[in-house]
Amino acid sequence: MLTRIEIDGFKSFRDFELNVPPFLVVIGRNAAGKSNLFDAIQFLSRLASDPVLEAAQHMRGDVVDLFHRPTEGPPFTTMAFAAEVLLDRSVTDAFGDTAEVHHSRLRYELEIELRSISPSGSQRPYVVREVVRRIRRADDKWMEHRNAEQRKRLGAYRPGADPLETETDDPGRPVFSIRQQGNQGRKRRLPASAATATVLSSLTTATDFPLLYALKREMQSWRLLHLDPSALRAPDSYDDPDNLAANGGHLANTLRRLADETGTDDRPDGVLNDLSADLAAVIPGVTRVRLSEDDARRQRQVMVVTRDEAPFSARVASDGTLRAIALLAALYDPRGAGLICFEEPENGIFPQRLAQFVRYLRNLVDRALNSPTDGAALTQLILSSHSPAILRALQPLDDREVAAVFMDVVSRVQRGHRPSRISRWRAIAGARQLTFDDALRSAVVSPSEIAEFEVQAELGT
């Protein structure tokens, strides 16, 4: 679980810091930086597996476009990230080896530099600093907001050296210094003068460096669901993957696996029944989601059952219905646990039902934090929206740990620095009275500003 992110020099971000709760809604107009925030999370996720250049090429724009560009002069040539995470208590690698994780709270810091590599002006990104630090119990502000049972179950702290540092060796060259989980064992050193990939991406097994490998797997679990209606509608071959793709592909096989893995004699469809109940509450007329199996063609198709009509296939279902099914499937799937970023959940959902849908999403995120006996894996959800309807949907959740932040773009003029247009976030005040300190910090969006945002959204301006 991602509990804090810091971004400096990536796209529209300078000195950006955000504490991330299990359920977060990011609201703002178009071009406010919401998608850039998701890009930063996805970039970090890819850097846990891929070389820096390859990870950058999967982002929107060219490599140089990822670096912050001030309003005057050339773009930056460095970017830096920090991410604080909560790890699972054990990790299993691709070879089936499982290692215990004895310290569950880590801070990951990364700095990337863009360098010219030829007289023609070709540029390549390199890792110049990579650090992983233990978050000590006394310094763990995030865990202070958990109840006693959660702190006991989720928090693991063991004294020891930080597992990864960037140091200088005897000849004065930069090196990445890697330590094993405990205090014992010699350091492993890797040259850091021309690193084209992160240390995390080089790890392949859980046994040598469990903390670092667990961090790698945690970051790999961060994903953006950018659902494509054509992918959601496509039938699956029996031989296709049974994990939901980022574009929504393989939805039918994912639902089949969920039903098989969670089904019992009394409930042969398992959590597919719960998913159907959730969907029926937010999509008028829908009563059930089921699967059509064509053994002759070895194909599987999602079917939607309604009260008044015969079941119909995903080929003719609405985009909103399919998006809701896919998001619910991702949240119900233990194999897909991790951080899910999802844009515009209100699309295709009746405004009167949106609050109910958000409530169900929040309940699914709550499962792992509050119900350890059901075996649910930790899941985190960040929703982004430019619609004020999502604000009204959040009203019933005011008494729970749900954060809603408002993002916009402002001009930053600071002595000694070039002026920039940067993304910032502010808390939403809601009905509470703003204090004088709030006004000085401009850290809270006033009710009047939110009202103006709602009017402009309705007018399409």
Side-chain angles (χ1 to χ4, degrees):
M1 180 175 291
L2 175 66
T3 62
R4 180 177 172 84
I5 188 167
E6 301 171 12
I7 314 168
D8 188 24
F10 177 86
K11 291 198 171 183
S12 59
F13 295 112
R14 291 293 320 279
D15 301 320
F16 182 89
E17 301 176 353
L18 177 64
N19 291 324
V20 186
F23 186 76
L24 174 65
V25 179
V26 182
I27 303 162
R29 300 177 179 86
N30 289 330
K34 304 185 303 295
S35 294
N36 287 348
L37 176 61
F38 283 0
D39 285 347
I41 293 171
Q42 287 301 293
F43 188 45
L44 280 172
S45 178
R46 286 193 171 275
L47 288 172
S49 303
D50 301 334
V52 183
L53 181 59
E54 183 177 334
Q57 289 171 338
H58 281 90
M59 298 294 104
R60 296 177 299 148
D62 296 329
V63 174
V64 69
D65 296 327
L66 301 184
F67 290 81
H68 179 71
R69 183 180 292 274
T71 54
E72 299 176 4
F76 281 34
T77 56
T78 60
M79 64 173 70
F81 303 90
E84 296 182 3
V85 303
L86 171 70
L87 302 178
D88 289 331
R89 300 295 290 272
S90 66
V91 61
T92 302
D93 61 28
F95 305 99
D97 287 334
T98 298
E100 296 300 316
V101 175
H102 300 301
H103 195 96
S104 61
R105 296 284 285 132
L106 295 179
R107 177 180 172 87
Y108 179 64
E109 299 176 2
L110 180 69
E111 185 175 344
I112 295 172
E113 181 178 71
L114 191 65
R115 300 174 183 170
S116 297
I117 60 172
S118 71
S120 64
S122 297
Q123 295 177 300
R124 292 290 184 271
Y126 293 88
V127 177
V128 296
R129 182 175 177 271
E130 190 174 8
V131 172
V132 178
R133 303 192 189 283
R134 297 170 183 257
I135 300 176
R136 274 59 179 179
R137 187 192 303 269
D139 302 326
D140 196 350
K141 303 300 183 183
W142 183 84
M143 198 63 74
E144 292 178 358
H145 296 283
R146 315 268 68 83
N147 60 42
E149 187 279 328
Q150 291 170 352
R151 288 196 295 269
K152 180 179 178 181
R153 178 166 48 90
L154 301 175
Y157 305 89
R158 174 171 290 187
D162 292 329
L164 174 60
E165 297 178 348
T166 303
E167 301 175 331
T168 302
D169 63 10
D170 291 339
R173 297 169 300 192
V175 295
F176 299 121
S177 179
I178 315 171
R179 288 187 176 88
Q180 294 181 348
Q181 181 164 283
N183 287 318
Q184 304 301 316
R186 298 178 60 184
K187 295 180 182 180
R188 175 185 173 190
R189 291 193 166 189
L190 298 174
S193 57
T196 59
T198 63
V199 171
L200 291 188
S201 67
S202 70
L203 303 177
T204 57
T205 63
T207 52
D208 290 336
F209 305 101
L211 276 181
L212 294 181
Y213 191 80
L215 175 61
K216 171 191 176 89
R217 292 299 299 269
E218 165 61 29
M219 292 172 61
Q220 288 175 326
S221 75
W222 302 346
R223 55 183 174 147
L224 168 64
L225 288 184
H226 193 74
L227 302 178
D228 178 0
S230 61
L232 290 167
R233 291 190 171 88
D236 278 336
S237 163
Y238 286 3
D239 301 318
D240 283 341
D242 58 4
N243 288 322
L244 187 69
N247 65 355
H250 310 307
L251 177 60
N253 278 357
T254 300
L255 294 176
R256 177 75 274 159
R257 174 176 55 80
L258 283 177
D260 291 343
E261 290 179 350
T262 61
T264 63
D265 291 340
D266 295 334
R267 302 178 73 225
D269 287 336
V271 299
L272 192 55
N273 295 318
D274 302 318
L275 186 152
S276 295
D278 292 347
L279 186 71
V282 297
I283 305 294
V286 170
T287 61
R288 184 184 168 200
V289 177
R290 67 177 181 85
L291 296 167
S292 172
E293 313 275 353
D294 187 339
D295 293 333
R297 296 183 179 181
R298 293 180 55 79
Q299 283 189 342
R300 184 173 290 121
Q301 178 74 60
V302 176
M303 304 292 292
V304 179
V305 182
T306 63
R307 280 194 298 267
D308 305 321
E309 301 177 6
F312 56 90
S313 74
R315 291 191 298 270
V316 295
S318 70
D319 291 358
T321 298
L322 294 175
R323 281 167 53 86
I325 294 172
L327 180 54
L328 289 169
L331 290 171
Y332 270 109
D333 187 0
R335 190 187 295 181
L339 168 59
I340 298 173
C341 300
F342 192 78
E343 295 182 316
E344 301 177 8
E346 67 275 7
N347 283 357
I349 303 295
F350 278 70
Q352 299 87 341
R353 302 292 185 100
L354 184 58
Q356 184 79 355
F357 187 48
V358 172
R359 188 177 298 111
Y360 280 123
L361 298 179
R362 185 65 179 96
N363 287 339
L364 292 178
V365 172
D366 272 346
R367 286 183 310 161
L369 283 175
N370 299 326
S371 303
T373 56
D374 67 3
L378 288 176
T379 301
Q380 187 174 16
L381 183 60
I382 303 179
L383 304 175
S384 74
S385 174
H386 60 257
S387 170
I390 197 72
L391 284 176
R392 293 187 286 272
L394 291 174
Q395 293 304 313
L397 301 177
D398 283 345
D399 60 337
R400 307 164 71 184
E401 187 196 7
V402 52
V405 298
F406 185 86
M407 287 190 67
D408 58 5
V409 176
V410 295
S411 294
R412 173 177 171 175
V413 180
Q414 190 175 13
R415 180 176 297 178
H417 298 274
R418 289 178 287 168
S420 294
R421 294 281 291 171
I422 63 170
S423 294
R424 66 168 178 177
W425 70 270
R426 289 178 290 164
I428 296 174
R432 76 176 179 86
Q433 183 68 36
L434 295 185
T435 67
F436 181 71
D437 288 340
D438 288 333
L440 288 178
R441 292 195 308 266
S442 298
V444 178
V445 182
S446 67
S448 61
E449 189 172 352
I450 290 297
E452 180 185 358
F453 165 63
E454 291 178 334
V455 170
Q456 290 179 346
E458 292 295 332
L459 295 177
T461 59

